[in-house]
């Protein structure tokens, strides 16, 4: 692992490494590049976090499965190159946890795309895509069919969720919150059930909820709140479509356009 190295600029000394399990690259304030181009095996945790000058992941596309993927708080990172063959993220201990089985792509100010995740099919834990202001779409996630726990989307630049059209299963909460440019939820049409909470809140450009037209059950709370241009009648229509008997928790439909 490479952690808390105030003067580390590059990792050229690791250029001969061919096999790695867990990779932690955390809090290296002047690190600009990773030089792991000779890797032929990477199959554990990949955490790249709080490296403000890092521009590229710098790993070849050798990983087909990881036990955790976390790319967070890298202000200069422009690309997720190196993840093109990643198909599966799952815990090596059976059940996902805070540290295993999840994917978090968050708070990367210069990141423009998640397209290198184009082979990803299944995530055992949660998927979080949040606070990447230059990411305009989720293109690259077209093969994703299952998220074992929560799906969280909070990204000001994303205008649609069409890339999630293959997603047929979310194992816990579905949260679509604080997406300033998101206009519809059309990419979620394959979902029929949300086992825990459904949160659709503070999406300033959201026009309709037609993408949830096949949803028939919410196991927890239903919240459709504070979506400035979404007609209130569209929110109540979703509630009625699901049916109060099929909502396991409370219902809050409020603060949408009248």
């Amino acid at each position: 692992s490479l952690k808390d190295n105030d003067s580390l600029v590059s990792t050229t000394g690791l250029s001969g490494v061919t096999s790695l399990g867990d990779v932690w690259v955390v809090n290296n304030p002047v690190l600009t590049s990773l030089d792991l181009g000779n890797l032929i095996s990477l199959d554990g945790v990949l955490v790249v976090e709080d490296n403000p000058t890092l521009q590229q992941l710098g790993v070849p596309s050798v990983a087909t499965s990881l036990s955790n993927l976390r790319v967070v708080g890298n202000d200069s990172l422009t690309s997720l190159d190196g993840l093109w063959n990643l198909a599966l993220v799952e815990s090596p201990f059976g059940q996902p946890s805070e540290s295993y089985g999840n994917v978090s792509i968050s708070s990367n100010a210069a990141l423009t795309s998640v397209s290198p995740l184009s082979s990803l099919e299944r995530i055992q834990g949660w998927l979080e895509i949040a606070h990447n202001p230059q990411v305009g779409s989720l293109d690259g996630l077209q093969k994703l069919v299952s998220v074992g726990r929560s799906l969280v989307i909070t990204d000001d630049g994303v205008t649609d969720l069409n890339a999630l059209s293959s997603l047929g299963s979310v194992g816990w909460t579905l949260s679509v919150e604080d997406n300033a440019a998101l206009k519809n939820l059309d990419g979620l049409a394959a979902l029929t059930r949300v086992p825990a909470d459904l949160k659709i809140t503070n999406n300033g450009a959201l026009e309709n909820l037609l993408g949830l037209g096949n949803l028939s059950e919410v196991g927890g709370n239903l919240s459709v709140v504070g979506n400035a241009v979404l007609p209130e009648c569209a929110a109540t229509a979703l509630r009625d479509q699901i049916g109060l008997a099929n909502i396991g928790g409370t219902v809050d439909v409020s603060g949408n356009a009248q």
Side-chain angles (χ1 to χ4, degrees), residues 27-31 49-55 73-77:
N27 192 29
N28 302 287
V30 296
L31 180 66
E49 184 168 0
D50 293 335
N51 305 285
T53 60
L54 184 68
Q55 298 178 12
N74 305 287
D75 291 342
S76 301
L77 186 72

Side-chain angles (χ1 to χ4, degrees), residues 68-207:
N68 209 59
L69 173 62
R70 184 172 174 85
V71 182
V72 175
N74 305 287
D75 291 342
S76 301
L77 186 72
T78 60
S79 172
L80 297 177
D81 279 353
L83 300 175
W84 290 100
N85 291 320
L86 181 65
L88 171 66
V89 177
E90 67 176 355
S91 170
F93 305 111
Q95 294 297 317
S97 65
E98 186 73 19
S99 301
Y100 294 100
N102 311 304
V103 174
S104 182
I105 311 295
S106 178
S107 301
N108 302 289
L111 186 68
T112 59
S113 172
V114 296
S115 59
L117 297 175
S118 60
S119 295
L120 189 58
E121 297 179 3
R122 189 167 74 87
I123 299 168
Q124 188 187 30
W126 73 67
L127 169 61
E128 176 190 39
I129 299 179
H131 308 302
N132 306 289
Q134 305 303 317
V135 173
S137 78
L138 300 184
D139 284 350
L141 294 177
Q142 283 87 344
K143 289 186 177 180
L144 185 65
V145 297
S146 173
V147 174
R149 290 197 172 174
S150 296
L151 171 60
V152 177
I153 300 170
T154 303
D155 243 332
D156 281 346
V158 171
T159 60
D160 66 71
L161 305 180
N162 293 344
L164 297 176
S165 59
S166 297
L167 183 65
S169 173
V170 171
W172 198 240
T173 291
L174 171 60
S175 175
V176 182
E177 300 185 272
D178 301 317
N179 298 281
L182 184 65
K183 295 183 177 181
N184 62 65
L185 305 180
D186 290 357
L188 301 177
L191 290 178
T192 61
R193 178 175 183 266
V194 174
D197 298 340
L198 173 59
K199 304 176 183 179
I200 305 171
T201 64
N202 299 321
N203 301 289
L206 187 64
E207 298 172 350

